[in-house]
Amino acid sequence: MKNQTFVLSKFSTLEKLLKKNEPMEFEGVEYQDTILHFSNTSLLKVIEEFSTPLYVYSEGVLASRIQSYLDGARNHPVILCYSVKANSNLSLLKIIKDYGLGADIVSGGELYKCKIANVPSNKIVFSGVGKSKEEISFALKENILLFSVESPSELIVINEIAKELQTTAPINIRVNPDIDPQTHPYISTGLKENKFGISHVEFEHVLKQALALKHIEVMGLGYHIGSQIVNLNAKIEALQRSKELIKIFNKYKKLMYFDIGGGLGIRYKDENPPTPKEYLETLLTQLPWKEIPHATILVEPGRSIVGPAGMFLTKIQYIKKNYDKIFYIVDGAMNDLIRPTLYSAYHTILPVRQNKTSLMNVDVVGPICETGDFFARDRILPQLKEGEYLAILTTGAYGFSMASQYNSRPRPAEVLIRKDGTIKLIREKETYEDLIAKEIHLM
Ligand code: LLP
């Protein structure tokens, strides 16, 4: 790839690139002797042992994200319910629960995984607009803390199932505050056109309906307005708006749980979101404590806990030029990490071996037969060679958990760098046998 006409003379070294375009302010990520390290572990060493494509997590970074939340919650009645959808790997779940966190779940499968990881059921909240009867029954039998109820029809179903099981279902009413969280439209959840929650105008009516049901115990209310929120204004506005609902609730019952959802954003490129500690401290000071003296505050962070704690490693298999475009064709693909194509999400990409060659404008693409199979388009990266490796940063959340076997590609392995520097395999790479394990051969 020498003498490219696309070489950008503006930037001549990778250092310049890192300074100008992609600040290296990613926790635990740094070059040591020209090799990219995560939590002081050489990623070349990790690749030598486990090959690519590969998800790598850092227990150290995970612990620091959790600690920041714990610091923010200190001296307040708060239950941190980790949003399992962000990453449901059992080893990570176990670490998270060992720090005392509960879980925010959205399916029976997530409840099952929480059970296996020994997450205490009295710290589990169940969200989602479409809980099935089987899932409701499973959660009732497990005595979870709360169902976050999103419609009057769901209330009736939960009441019926609780009656059959001769129990009472604790619920929170999830409201839709109609607030724009200024994030990608697919991950905004608190706008009136979104399917989530109950509108403020109907809140009192639904509350009365719920109070009249014998097998429902109404505990409080909550909302979740969206994800990757880097500016707290919308979160504060949602909180302010909910004060009128707290007043209504107080006419009928003591409010026991107030759920402020998840959604804190993280740095993918150059965003500067508050730390979890700053975020919690800001919101907790805005709460109308006098009006909710009995309340425990529930928080449902997902991305901001696991996102920065993971990265995805992939190998450049081929370098190809088509007309004016240069493609780095890597061994990972959209089935492994779908965020770039699904949400036009930006993930910082760094070469594993620091490289001081000229910079080029390239597309980083996978082997899947779709033009949407890319990790980056028009990205400035150094001139690399076939066989070199790339690290796609900040992929701990909604990376593996959204992976599929599309194109009959076995999903990649996941490894964890422990705090003591040991590297543990926490999920094996899938095999071809895994691809057919559930199929019934009509032969
Ligand atoms: N609670 C509820 C009710 C939620 O719906 C979500 C996320 C969370 C908590 C956690 O939000 P977080 O703290 O992770 O922002 N796949 C998308 C993100 C979808 C988020 C859906 N709900 C992505 O890759 O950006």
Side-chain angles (χ1 to χ4, degrees):
M1 299 300 291
K2 285 213 173 95
N3 302 326
Q4 280 296 338
T5 45
F6 314 101
V7 169
L8 301 179
S9 54
K10 238 187 352 174
F11 303 114
S12 56
T13 62
L14 180 63
E15 282 85 339
K16 273 195 185 168
L17 162 79
L18 297 175
K19 276 195 200 113
K20 295 206 175 196
N21 288 31
E22 307 195 313
M24 283 288 280
E25 288 160 26
F26 295 94
E27 196 175 341
V29 182
E30 62 182 351
Y31 285 104
Q32 291 179 13
D33 299 329
T34 75
I35 304 298
L36 194 65
H37 281 59
F38 196 22
S39 278
N40 287 317
T41 300
S42 155
L43 292 171
L44 267 191
K45 193 177 134 200
V46 176
I47 291 168
E48 269 160 27
E49 195 173 340
F50 297 98
S51 185
T52 55
L54 182 71
Y55 274 98
V56 184
Y57 306 106
S58 152
E59 184 179 14
V61 177
L62 180 62
S64 117
R65 301 299 296 180
I66 297 172
Q67 193 55 52
S68 182
Y69 267 106
L70 294 173
D71 292 345
R74 187 164 293 149
N75 301 326
H76 287 94
V78 170
I79 303 181
L80 296 165
C81 296
Y82 164 65
S83 197
V84 175
K85 62 176 85 65
N87 191 320
S88 61
N89 180 286
L90 289 177
S91 301
L92 303 186
L93 278 184
K94 172 146 189 323
I95 294 172
I96 293 167
K97 84 97 190 144
D98 282 346
Y99 276 89
L101 274 66
D104 156 51
I105 59 164
V106 287
S107 69
E110 288 187 353
L111 178 53
Y112 176 75
K113 291 189 91 173
C114 285
K115 245 178 87 115
I116 303 282
N118 286 323
V119 179
S121 53
N122 64 0
K123 288 185 188 168
I124 297 181
V125 296
F126 193 168
S127 317
V129 291
K131 304 170 193 82
S132 72
K133 290 184 178 174
E134 293 73 21
E135 288 173 325
I136 293 167
S137 163
F138 180 22
L140 277 172
K141 288 179 192 154
E142 289 300 320
N143 287 316
I144 64 162
L145 179 69
L146 279 180
F147 291 85
S148 200
V149 167
E150 306 223 15
S151 66
S153 310
E154 185 192 342
L155 259 183
I156 289 161
V157 171
I158 296 178
N159 184 60
E160 272 167 15
I161 299 173
K163 184 177 174 196
E164 275 164 32
L165 296 173
Q166 300 179 336
T167 185
T168 309
I171 67 124
N172 252 15
I173 295 178
R174 175 167 172 183
V175 294
N176 178 325
D178 189 23
I179 280 169
D180 184 358
Q182 308 281 339
T183 186
H184 190 279
Y186 289 5
I187 54 177
S188 294
T189 51
L191 280 167
K192 66 177 174 212
E193 63 264 32
N194 300 146
K195 67 183 173 184
F196 300 96
I198 283 162
S199 73
H200 275 221
V201 279
E202 277 171 278
F203 175 72
E204 187 161 9
H205 177 63
V206 176
L207 174 64
K208 282 200 218 156
Q209 268 182 306
L211 290 167
L213 294 169
K214 236 176 113 191
H215 293 270
I216 293 284
E217 188 174 6
V218 190
M219 309 297 280
L221 65 102
Y223 51 79
H224 168 80
I225 59 168
S227 197
Q228 184 52 13
I229 300 171
V230 287
N231 174 324
L232 292 188
N233 291 345
K235 297 283 291 184
I236 293 171
E237 200 185 330
L239 204 155
Q240 297 300 348
R241 286 215 62 197
S242 68
K243 288 183 181 168
E244 68 192 64
L245 304 182
I246 290 175
K247 285 206 178 88
I248 296 173
F249 195 96
N250 280 343
K251 289 200 291 186
Y252 299 91
K253 273 203 94 170
K254 272 189 207 156
L255 190 143
M256 302 306 289
Y257 292 104
F258 184 68
D259 188 339
I260 60 170
L264 175 63
I266 56 176
R267 166 170 291 187
Y268 285 103
K269 185 181 184 188
D270 51 10
E271 305 88 338
N272 269 317
T275 62
K277 179 171 184 275
E278 291 163 348
Y279 156 71
L280 271 193
E281 284 173 351
T282 307
L283 288 190
L284 291 173
T285 51
Q286 305 264 342
L287 281 169
W289 288 104
K290 281 198 187 121
E291 308 204 20
I292 49 170
H294 308 283
T296 295
I297 310 305
L298 303 174
V299 192
E300 303 174 352
R303 185 192 314 266
S304 50
I305 288 195
V306 284
M311 57 169 72
F312 181 64
L313 301 178
T314 186
K315 179 166 80 180
I316 302 177
Q317 304 193 93
Y318 303 105
I319 299 180
K320 160 171 177 176
K321 193 177 150 215
N322 248 5
Y323 300 97
D324 281 357
K325 263 205 120 67
I326 296 166
F327 294 94
Y328 286 176
I329 304 171
V330 297
D331 60 358
M334 65 190 276
N335 73 298
D336 304 312
L337 173 66
I338 201 171
R339 301 194 71 256
T341 188
L342 190 57
Y343 313 114
S344 307
Y346 183 103
H347 286 266
T348 291
I349 301 181
L350 295 173
V352 168
R353 201 184 282 279
Q354 198 173 22
N355 187 304
K356 301 190 177 174
T357 56
S358 314
L359 299 171
M360 303 192 300
N361 203 358
V362 302
D363 281 16
V364 180
V365 300
I368 283 183
C369 300
E370 285 201 32
T371 301
D373 180 25
F374 61 85
F375 292 127
R377 283 164 141 176
D378 287 324
R379 185 67 64 89
I380 296 168
L381 279 173
Q383 245 182 58
L384 299 171
K385 295 200 190 74
E386 293 174 354
E388 292 199 76
Y389 297 101
L390 296 175
I392 305 183
L393 304 191
T394 336
T395 47
Y398 307 110
F400 191 92
S401 67
M402 296 180 78
S404 74
Q405 295 174 334
Y406 184 42
N407 270 217
S408 291
R409 287 170 51 90
R411 282 176 294 186
E414 294 176 287
V415 300
L416 176 68
I417 302 168
R418 303 297 314 244
K419 277 187 179 165
D420 64 6
T422 54
I423 309 163
K424 293 274 181 229
L425 182 66
I426 56 172
R427 193 179 203 276
E428 287 177 22
K429 180 178 168 59
E430 290 179 355
T431 61
Y432 290 152
E433 288 73 37
D434 292 325
L435 295 178
I436 59 164
K438 293 289 178 193
E439 291 205 30
I440 308 210
H441 306 239
L442 291 180
M443 295 169 195

